[in-house]
Amino acid sequence: MSESAQIPGTGPRIIVGNDGSQPALHALEWALDHARAVGGSVTLLRAWTMSTAPRPSTQTFGYVPPRADFEQAVLEDLRADVAGAVASHGQGVDLRYEAYCGPAGNALIEASHDADLVVVSSRGRGGFRGLALGSTSDQLVRHAACPVVVVRGARTNETERTRTLDAAVPTADEQPSE
């Protein structure tokens, strides 16, 4: 199921995987900035299963709503999770929202066949925190049908880390003489 905020443009189609995590927001910000720079459109994709989907408003004791109600609840959560990033980085970008029932890796690989670029964070909500690359990102870079960008961390943190590393490396003038 998908919802469109605007009519898709004719530029590159960019798919962004979003699981609601903070790293996924950084990937979305990167994708929105890139889409604006190249005149592309962004499709936000959230994978879900019955165990991970939010409870639809139509669900009551003894009644399991239809799949479409679960998809709608997933899309509502997706919109709420990304509202701040879209407001601050999404001006002028054609934006769509899609929910996919199934594993995130499968969703992104399938979407990559109709995309020009897929953007994901290096890590999402699940798995082991110490890993540099999560299982979904790893699966995607191995099997996607288009280029993949893996965004690692917040840009502000990476910029700060780079400045710190640059300050720690001596310049040619500061190199000890032999």
Side-chain angles (χ1 to χ4, degrees), residues 47-78:
W48 65 279
T49 63
M50 290 300 283
S51 62
T52 63
R55 177 195 255 198
S57 60
T58 57
Q59 185 172 353
T60 59
F61 182 75
Y63 173 71
V64 178
R67 179 176 164 163
D69 290 6
F70 282 95
E71 287 180 350
Q72 188 60 40
V74 169
L75 290 170
E76 289 169 8
D77 265 14
L78 176 57

PDB file of all heavy atoms in Angstrom, residues 47-78:
ATOM      1  N   ALA A  47       8.793  -1.724   6.273  1.00  0.00           N
ATOM      2  CA  ALA A  47       8.379  -3.120   6.269  1.00  0.00           C
ATOM      3  C   ALA A  47       7.708  -3.432   7.605  1.00  0.00           C
ATOM      4  O   ALA A  47       8.033  -2.826   8.628  1.00  0.00           O
ATOM      5  CB  ALA A  47       9.588  -4.021   6.057  1.00  0.00           C
ATOM      6  N   TRP A  48       6.768  -4.378   7.565  1.00  0.00           N
ATOM      7  CA  TRP A  48       6.064  -4.727   8.789  1.00  0.00           C
ATOM      8  C   TRP A  48       5.592  -6.173   8.738  1.00  0.00           C
ATOM      9  O   TRP A  48       5.509  -6.775   7.669  1.00  0.00           O
ATOM     10  CB  TRP A  48       4.868  -3.796   9.002  1.00  0.00           C
ATOM     11  CG  TRP A  48       3.788  -3.918   7.957  1.00  0.00           C
ATOM     12  CD1 TRP A  48       3.777  -3.335   6.713  1.00  0.00           C
ATOM     13  CD2 TRP A  48       2.600  -4.691   8.041  1.00  0.00           C
ATOM     14  NE1 TRP A  48       2.637  -3.685   6.034  1.00  0.00           N
ATOM     15  CE2 TRP A  48       1.887  -4.527   6.835  1.00  0.00           C
ATOM     16  CE3 TRP A  48       2.036  -5.507   9.030  1.00  0.00           C
ATOM     17  CZ2 TRP A  48       0.674  -5.142   6.576  1.00  0.00           C
ATOM     18  CZ3 TRP A  48       0.823  -6.115   8.773  1.00  0.00           C
ATOM     19  CH2 TRP A  48       0.160  -5.934   7.553  1.00  0.00           C
ATOM     20  N   THR A  49       5.337  -6.705   9.914  1.00  0.00           N
ATOM     21  CA  THR A  49       4.710  -8.017  10.059  1.00  0.00           C
ATOM     22  C   THR A  49       3.580  -7.849  11.069  1.00  0.00           C
ATOM     23  O   THR A  49       3.474  -6.800  11.725  1.00  0.00           O
ATOM     24  CB  THR A  49       5.706  -9.077  10.576  1.00  0.00           C
ATOM     25  OG1 THR A  49       6.142  -8.696  11.879  1.00  0.00           O
ATOM     26  CG2 THR A  49       6.902  -9.218   9.638  1.00  0.00           C
ATOM     27  N   MET A  50       2.787  -8.877  11.239  1.00  0.00           N
ATOM     28  CA  MET A  50       1.686  -8.782  12.205  1.00  0.00           C
ATOM     29  C   MET A  50       2.218  -8.533  13.623  1.00  0.00           C
ATOM     30  O   MET A  50       1.565  -7.872  14.420  1.00  0.00           O
ATOM     31  CB  MET A  50       0.838 -10.057  12.179  1.00  0.00           C
ATOM     32  CG  MET A  50       0.027 -10.212  10.907  1.00  0.00           C
ATOM     33  SD  MET A  50      -1.136  -8.865  10.622  1.00  0.00           S
ATOM     34  CE  MET A  50      -2.416  -9.289  11.762  1.00  0.00           C
ATOM     35  N   SER A  51       3.412  -9.032  13.922  1.00  0.00           N
ATOM     36  CA  SER A  51       3.956  -8.838  15.269  1.00  0.00           C
ATOM     37  C   SER A  51       4.592  -7.458  15.464  1.00  0.00           C
ATOM     38  O   SER A  51       4.766  -7.012  16.591  1.00  0.00           O
ATOM     39  CB  SER A  51       4.962  -9.934  15.606  1.00  0.00           C
ATOM     40  OG  SER A  51       6.057  -9.883  14.716  1.00  0.00           O
ATOM     41  N   THR A  52       4.945  -6.775  14.371  1.00  0.00           N
ATOM     42  CA  THR A  52       5.581  -5.459  14.508  1.00  0.00           C
ATOM     43  C   THR A  52       4.648  -4.303  14.171  1.00  0.00           C
ATOM     44  O   THR A  52       4.969  -3.160  14.478  1.00  0.00           O
ATOM     45  CB  THR A  52       6.831  -5.350  13.602  1.00  0.00           C
ATOM     46  OG1 THR A  52       6.433  -5.461  12.225  1.00  0.00           O
ATOM     47  CG2 THR A  52       7.858  -6.412  13.945  1.00  0.00           C
ATOM     48  N   ALA A  53       3.543  -4.582  13.521  1.00  0.00           N
ATOM     49  CA  ALA A  53       2.620  -3.510  13.111  1.00  0.00           C
ATOM     50  C   ALA A  53       1.927  -2.911  14.330  1.00  0.00           C
ATOM     51  O   ALA A  53       1.605  -3.615  15.283  1.00  0.00           O
ATOM     52  CB  ALA A  53       1.568  -4.054  12.151  1.00  0.00           C
ATOM     53  N   PRO A  54       1.700  -1.602  14.298  1.00  0.00           N
ATOM     54  CA  PRO A  54       0.921  -0.994  15.377  1.00  0.00           C
ATOM     55  C   PRO A  54      -0.527  -1.472  15.316  1.00  0.00           C
ATOM     56  O   PRO A  54      -1.009  -1.896  14.263  1.00  0.00           O
ATOM     57  CB  PRO A  54       1.022   0.506  15.091  1.00  0.00           C
ATOM     58  CG  PRO A  54       1.382   0.607  13.657  1.00  0.00           C
ATOM     59  CD  PRO A  54       2.114  -0.639  13.291  1.00  0.00           C
ATOM     60  N   ARG A  55      -1.191  -1.396  16.422  1.00  0.00           N
ATOM     61  CA  ARG A  55      -2.584  -1.839  16.498  1.00  0.00           C
ATOM     62  C   ARG A  55      -3.476  -0.831  15.762  1.00  0.00           C
ATOM     63  O   ARG A  55      -3.474   0.362  16.080  1.00  0.00           O
ATOM     64  CB  ARG A  55      -3.003  -1.913  17.947  1.00  0.00           C
ATOM     65  CG  ARG A  55      -4.444  -2.291  18.122  1.00  0.00           C
ATOM     66  CD  ARG A  55      -4.867  -1.988  19.512  1.00  0.00           C
ATOM     67  NE  ARG A  55      -4.978  -3.205  20.280  1.00  0.00           N
ATOM     68  CZ  ARG A  55      -5.654  -3.271  21.398  1.00  0.00           C
ATOM     69  NH1 ARG A  55      -6.223  -2.199  21.902  1.00  0.00           N
ATOM     70  NH2 ARG A  55      -5.735  -4.397  22.035  1.00  0.00           N
ATOM     71  N   PRO A  56      -4.254  -1.307  14.794  1.00  0.00           N
ATOM     72  CA  PRO A  56      -5.180  -0.400  14.099  1.00  0.00           C
ATOM     73  C   PRO A  56      -6.281   0.082  15.038  1.00  0.00           C
ATOM     74  O   PRO A  56      -6.664  -0.621  15.981  1.00  0.00           O
ATOM     75  CB  PRO A  56      -5.769  -1.267  12.988  1.00  0.00           C
ATOM     76  CG  PRO A  56      -4.910  -2.467  12.900  1.00  0.00           C
ATOM     77  CD  PRO A  56      -4.263  -2.644  14.233  1.00  0.00           C
ATOM     78  N   SER A  57      -6.814   1.249  14.767  1.00  0.00           N
ATOM     79  CA  SER A  57      -7.892   1.790  15.599  1.00  0.00           C
ATOM     80  C   SER A  57      -9.161   0.945  15.504  1.00  0.00           C
ATOM     81  O   SER A  57     -10.002   0.984  16.393  1.00  0.00           O
ATOM     82  CB  SER A  57      -8.191   3.238  15.195  1.00  0.00           C
ATOM     83  OG  SER A  57      -8.578   3.290  13.838  1.00  0.00           O
ATOM     84  N   THR A  58      -9.272   0.134  14.447  1.00  0.00           N
ATOM     85  CA  THR A  58     -10.461  -0.703  14.264  1.00  0.00           C
ATOM     86  C   THR A  58     -10.386  -2.015  15.029  1.00  0.00           C
ATOM     87  O   THR A  58     -11.365  -2.754  15.081  1.00  0.00           O
ATOM     88  CB  THR A  58     -10.659  -1.019  12.774  1.00  0.00           C
ATOM     89  OG1 THR A  58      -9.470  -1.648  12.275  1.00  0.00           O
ATOM     90  CG2 THR A  58     -10.961   0.241  11.980  1.00  0.00           C
ATOM     91  N   GLN A  59      -9.227  -2.312  15.623  1.00  0.00           N
ATOM     92  CA  GLN A  59      -9.078  -3.578  16.337  1.00  0.00           C
ATOM     93  C   GLN A  59      -9.770  -3.503  17.702  1.00  0.00           C
ATOM     94  O   GLN A  59      -9.549  -2.570  18.464  1.00  0.00           O
ATOM     95  CB  GLN A  59      -7.603  -3.921  16.534  1.00  0.00           C
ATOM     96  CG  GLN A  59      -7.388  -5.277  17.160  1.00  0.00           C
ATOM     97  CD  GLN A  59      -5.926  -5.683  17.179  1.00  0.00           C
ATOM     98  OE1 GLN A  59      -5.082  -5.019  16.610  1.00  0.00           O
ATOM     99  NE2 GLN A  59      -5.636  -6.785  17.835  1.00  0.00           N
ATOM    100  N   THR A  60     -10.591  -4.484  17.965  1.00  0.00           N
ATOM    101  CA  THR A  60     -11.279  -4.591  19.255  1.00  0.00           C
ATOM    102  C   THR A  60     -11.132  -6.022  19.747  1.00  0.00           C
ATOM    103  O   THR A  60     -10.711  -6.911  18.994  1.00  0.00           O
ATOM    104  CB  THR A  60     -12.778  -4.231  19.133  1.00  0.00           C
ATOM    105  OG1 THR A  60     -13.388  -5.115  18.191  1.00  0.00           O
ATOM    106  CG2 THR A  60     -12.965  -2.787  18.703  1.00  0.00           C
ATOM    107  N   PHE A  61     -11.500  -6.247  20.985  1.00  0.00           N
ATOM    108  CA  PHE A  61     -11.411  -7.582  21.553  1.00  0.00           C
ATOM    109  C   PHE A  61     -12.235  -8.560  20.712  1.00  0.00           C
ATOM    110  O   PHE A  61     -13.411  -8.335  20.446  1.00  0.00           O
ATOM    111  CB  PHE A  61     -11.920  -7.576  23.001  1.00  0.00           C
ATOM    112  CG  PHE A  61     -11.807  -8.921  23.662  1.00  0.00           C
ATOM    113  CD1 PHE A  61     -10.571  -9.388  24.077  1.00  0.00           C
ATOM    114  CD2 PHE A  61     -12.913  -9.726  23.823  1.00  0.00           C
ATOM    115  CE1 PHE A  61     -10.448 -10.633  24.668  1.00  0.00           C
ATOM    116  CE2 PHE A  61     -12.803 -10.974  24.415  1.00  0.00           C
ATOM    117  CZ  PHE A  61     -11.565 -11.430  24.839  1.00  0.00           C
ATOM    118  N   GLY A  62     -11.578  -9.620  20.254  1.00  0.00           N
ATOM    119  CA  GLY A  62     -12.267 -10.645  19.474  1.00  0.00           C
ATOM    120  C   GLY A  62     -12.379 -10.353  17.989  1.00  0.00           C
ATOM    121  O   GLY A  62     -12.914 -11.160  17.242  1.00  0.00           O
ATOM    122  N   TYR A  63     -11.892  -9.190  17.525  1.00  0.00           N
ATOM    123  CA  TYR A  63     -11.987  -8.840  16.104  1.00  0.00           C
ATOM    124  C   TYR A  63     -10.595  -8.494  15.577  1.00  0.00           C
ATOM    125  O   TYR A  63      -9.921  -7.604  16.108  1.00  0.00           O
ATOM    126  CB  TYR A  63     -12.912  -7.638  15.911  1.00  0.00           C
ATOM    127  CG  TYR A  63     -12.912  -7.111  14.485  1.00  0.00           C
ATOM    128  CD1 TYR A  63     -13.497  -7.826  13.446  1.00  0.00           C
ATOM    129  CD2 TYR A  63     -12.309  -5.894  14.183  1.00  0.00           C
ATOM    130  CE1 TYR A  63     -13.481  -7.348  12.147  1.00  0.00           C
ATOM    131  CE2 TYR A  63     -12.292  -5.408  12.885  1.00  0.00           C
ATOM    132  CZ  TYR A  63     -12.878  -6.140  11.873  1.00  0.00           C
ATOM    133  OH  TYR A  63     -12.867  -5.670  10.594  1.00  0.00           O
ATOM    134  N   VAL A  64     -10.162  -9.206  14.574  1.00  0.00           N
ATOM    135  CA  VAL A  64      -8.892  -8.902  13.910  1.00  0.00           C
ATOM    136  C   VAL A  64      -9.225  -8.154  12.628  1.00  0.00           C
ATOM    137  O   VAL A  64      -9.902  -8.690  11.744  1.00  0.00           O
ATOM    138  CB  VAL A  64      -8.091 -10.182  13.600  1.00  0.00           C
ATOM    139  CG1 VAL A  64      -6.808  -9.841  12.863  1.00  0.00           C
ATOM    140  CG2 VAL A  64      -7.801 -10.961  14.869  1.00  0.00           C
ATOM    141  N   PRO A  65      -8.769  -6.909  12.540  1.00  0.00           N
ATOM    142  CA  PRO A  65      -9.087  -6.097  11.350  1.00  0.00           C
ATOM    143  C   PRO A  65      -8.417  -6.650  10.092  1.00  0.00           C
ATOM    144  O   PRO A  65      -7.480  -7.430  10.163  1.00  0.00           O
ATOM    145  CB  PRO A  65      -8.499  -4.717  11.686  1.00  0.00           C
ATOM    146  CG  PRO A  65      -8.104  -4.771  13.104  1.00  0.00           C
ATOM    147  CD  PRO A  65      -7.981  -6.192  13.509  1.00  0.00           C
ATOM    148  N   PRO A  66      -8.877  -6.205   8.925  1.00  0.00           N
ATOM    149  CA  PRO A  66      -8.258  -6.630   7.668  1.00  0.00           C
ATOM    150  C   PRO A  66      -6.843  -6.059   7.536  1.00  0.00           C
ATOM    151  O   PRO A  66      -6.465  -5.092   8.195  1.00  0.00           O
ATOM    152  CB  PRO A  66      -9.184  -6.069   6.590  1.00  0.00           C
ATOM    153  CG  PRO A  66      -9.974  -5.005   7.253  1.00  0.00           C
ATOM    154  CD  PRO A  66     -10.018  -5.318   8.709  1.00  0.00           C
ATOM    155  N   ARG A  67      -6.093  -6.677   6.663  1.00  0.00           N
ATOM    156  CA  ARG A  67      -4.706  -6.280   6.418  1.00  0.00           C
ATOM    157  C   ARG A  67      -4.588  -4.793   6.075  1.00  0.00           C
ATOM    158  O   ARG A  67      -3.648  -4.122   6.501  1.00  0.00           O
ATOM    159  CB  ARG A  67      -4.148  -7.136   5.285  1.00  0.00           C
ATOM    160  CG  ARG A  67      -2.736  -6.828   4.917  1.00  0.00           C
ATOM    161  CD  ARG A  67      -2.271  -7.794   3.855  1.00  0.00           C
ATOM    162  NE  ARG A  67      -1.061  -7.305   3.221  1.00  0.00           N
ATOM    163  CZ  ARG A  67      -0.259  -8.050   2.513  1.00  0.00           C
ATOM    164  NH1 ARG A  67      -0.517  -9.325   2.350  1.00  0.00           N
ATOM    165  NH2 ARG A  67       0.805  -7.532   1.962  1.00  0.00           N
ATOM    166  N   ALA A  68      -5.518  -4.264   5.316  1.00  0.00           N
ATOM    167  CA  ALA A  68      -5.477  -2.850   4.929  1.00  0.00           C
ATOM    168  C   ALA A  68      -5.481  -1.930   6.152  1.00  0.00           C
ATOM    169  O   ALA A  68      -4.837  -0.874   6.140  1.00  0.00           O
ATOM    170  CB  ALA A  68      -6.650  -2.506   4.016  1.00  0.00           C
ATOM    171  N   ASP A  69      -6.158  -2.319   7.211  1.00  0.00           N
ATOM    172  CA  ASP A  69      -6.170  -1.507   8.436  1.00  0.00           C
ATOM    173  C   ASP A  69      -4.793  -1.497   9.097  1.00  0.00           C
ATOM    174  O   ASP A  69      -4.354  -0.478   9.626  1.00  0.00           O
ATOM    175  CB  ASP A  69      -7.224  -2.023   9.418  1.00  0.00           C
ATOM    176  CG  ASP A  69      -8.651  -1.775   8.939  1.00  0.00           C
ATOM    177  OD1 ASP A  69      -8.837  -1.309   7.796  1.00  0.00           O
ATOM    178  OD2 ASP A  69      -9.579  -2.054   9.726  1.00  0.00           O
ATOM    179  N   PHE A  70      -4.110  -2.649   9.072  1.00  0.00           N
ATOM    180  CA  PHE A  70      -2.756  -2.711   9.623  1.00  0.00           C
ATOM    181  C   PHE A  70      -1.806  -1.857   8.786  1.00  0.00           C
ATOM    182  O   PHE A  70      -0.978  -1.120   9.315  1.00  0.00           O
ATOM    183  CB  PHE A  70      -2.266  -4.160   9.693  1.00  0.00           C
ATOM    184  CG  PHE A  70      -2.835  -4.929  10.843  1.00  0.00           C
ATOM    185  CD1 PHE A  70      -3.958  -5.716  10.670  1.00  0.00           C
ATOM    186  CD2 PHE A  70      -2.252  -4.848  12.102  1.00  0.00           C
ATOM    187  CE1 PHE A  70      -4.495  -6.432  11.736  1.00  0.00           C
ATOM    188  CE2 PHE A  70      -2.785  -5.552  13.174  1.00  0.00           C
ATOM    189  CZ  PHE A  70      -3.904  -6.346  12.994  1.00  0.00           C
ATOM    190  N   GLU A  71      -1.928  -1.946   7.468  1.00  0.00           N
ATOM    191  CA  GLU A  71      -1.083  -1.135   6.583  1.00  0.00           C
ATOM    192  C   GLU A  71      -1.304   0.354   6.837  1.00  0.00           C
ATOM    193  O   GLU A  71      -0.351   1.140   6.867  1.00  0.00           O
ATOM    194  CB  GLU A  71      -1.354  -1.470   5.115  1.00  0.00           C
ATOM    195  CG  GLU A  71      -0.807  -2.803   4.713  1.00  0.00           C
ATOM    196  CD  GLU A  71      -1.063  -3.139   3.251  1.00  0.00           C
ATOM    197  OE1 GLU A  71      -1.832  -2.421   2.577  1.00  0.00           O
ATOM    198  OE2 GLU A  71      -0.493  -4.138   2.794  1.00  0.00           O
ATOM    199  N   GLN A  72      -2.553   0.741   7.024  1.00  0.00           N
ATOM    200  CA  GLN A  72      -2.862   2.149   7.304  1.00  0.00           C
ATOM    201  C   GLN A  72      -2.221   2.582   8.619  1.00  0.00           C
ATOM    202  O   GLN A  72      -1.677   3.681   8.718  1.00  0.00           O
ATOM    203  CB  GLN A  72      -4.369   2.370   7.338  1.00  0.00           C
ATOM    204  CG  GLN A  72      -4.762   3.825   7.423  1.00  0.00           C
ATOM    205  CD  GLN A  72      -4.246   4.630   6.234  1.00  0.00           C
ATOM    206  OE1 GLN A  72      -4.254   4.194   5.092  1.00  0.00           O
ATOM    207  NE2 GLN A  72      -3.761   5.829   6.510  1.00  0.00           N
ATOM    208  N   ALA A  73      -2.264   1.728   9.631  1.00  0.00           N
ATOM    209  CA  ALA A  73      -1.647   2.048  10.920  1.00  0.00           C
ATOM    210  C   ALA A  73      -0.125   2.173  10.781  1.00  0.00           C
ATOM    211  O   ALA A  73       0.498   3.054  11.394  1.00  0.00           O
ATOM    212  CB  ALA A  73      -1.998   0.979  11.959  1.00  0.00           C
ATOM    213  N   VAL A  74       0.481   1.327   9.955  1.00  0.00           N
ATOM    214  CA  VAL A  74       1.927   1.404   9.706  1.00  0.00           C
ATOM    215  C   VAL A  74       2.257   2.731   9.029  1.00  0.00           C
ATOM    216  O   VAL A  74       3.211   3.416   9.407  1.00  0.00           O
ATOM    217  CB  VAL A  74       2.407   0.206   8.848  1.00  0.00           C
ATOM    218  CG1 VAL A  74       3.832   0.419   8.362  1.00  0.00           C
ATOM    219  CG2 VAL A  74       2.298  -1.092   9.634  1.00  0.00           C
ATOM    220  N   LEU A  75       1.474   3.104   8.026  1.00  0.00           N
ATOM    221  CA  LEU A  75       1.704   4.371   7.325  1.00  0.00           C
ATOM    222  C   LEU A  75       1.535   5.572   8.258  1.00  0.00           C
ATOM    223  O   LEU A  75       2.302   6.540   8.174  1.00  0.00           O
ATOM    224  CB  LEU A  75       0.781   4.488   6.114  1.00  0.00           C
ATOM    225  CG  LEU A  75       1.094   3.546   4.954  1.00  0.00           C
ATOM    226  CD1 LEU A  75      -0.026   3.565   3.923  1.00  0.00           C
ATOM    227  CD2 LEU A  75       2.432   3.903   4.318  1.00  0.00           C
ATOM    228  N   GLU A  76       0.549   5.512   9.140  1.00  0.00           N
ATOM    229  CA  GLU A  76       0.360   6.604  10.101  1.00  0.00           C
ATOM    230  C   GLU A  76       1.554   6.731  11.029  1.00  0.00           C
ATOM    231  O   GLU A  76       2.026   7.843  11.307  1.00  0.00           O
ATOM    232  CB  GLU A  76      -0.929   6.384  10.904  1.00  0.00           C
ATOM    233  CG  GLU A  76      -2.189   6.595  10.092  1.00  0.00           C
ATOM    234  CD  GLU A  76      -3.454   6.124  10.804  1.00  0.00           C
ATOM    235  OE1 GLU A  76      -3.384   5.759  12.008  1.00  0.00           O
ATOM    236  OE2 GLU A  76      -4.522   6.121  10.162  1.00  0.00           O
ATOM    237  N   ASP A  77       2.067   5.596  11.512  1.00  0.00           N
ATOM    238  CA  ASP A  77       3.262   5.617  12.359  1.00  0.00           C
ATOM    239  C   ASP A  77       4.474   6.152  11.588  1.00  0.00           C
ATOM    240  O   ASP A  77       5.265   6.928  12.121  1.00  0.00           O
ATOM    241  CB  ASP A  77       3.581   4.215  12.889  1.00  0.00           C
ATOM    242  CG  ASP A  77       3.000   3.958  14.256  1.00  0.00           C
ATOM    243  OD1 ASP A  77       2.130   4.742  14.708  1.00  0.00           O
ATOM    244  OD2 ASP A  77       3.419   2.963  14.889  1.00  0.00           O
ATOM    245  N   LEU A  78       4.617   5.718  10.348  1.00  0.00           N
ATOM    246  CA  LEU A  78       5.728   6.173   9.515  1.00  0.00           C
ATOM    247  C   LEU A  78       5.681   7.690   9.350  1.00  0.00           C
ATOM    248  O   LEU A  78       6.683   8.382   9.558  1.00  0.00           O
ATOM    249  CB  LEU A  78       5.693   5.484   8.150  1.00  0.00           C
ATOM    250  CG  LEU A  78       6.733   5.920   7.121  1.00  0.00           C
ATOM    251  CD1 LEU A  78       8.148   5.743   7.642  1.00  0.00           C
ATOM    252  CD2 LEU A  78       6.528   5.151   5.815  1.00  0.00           C
TER     253      LEU A  78
END
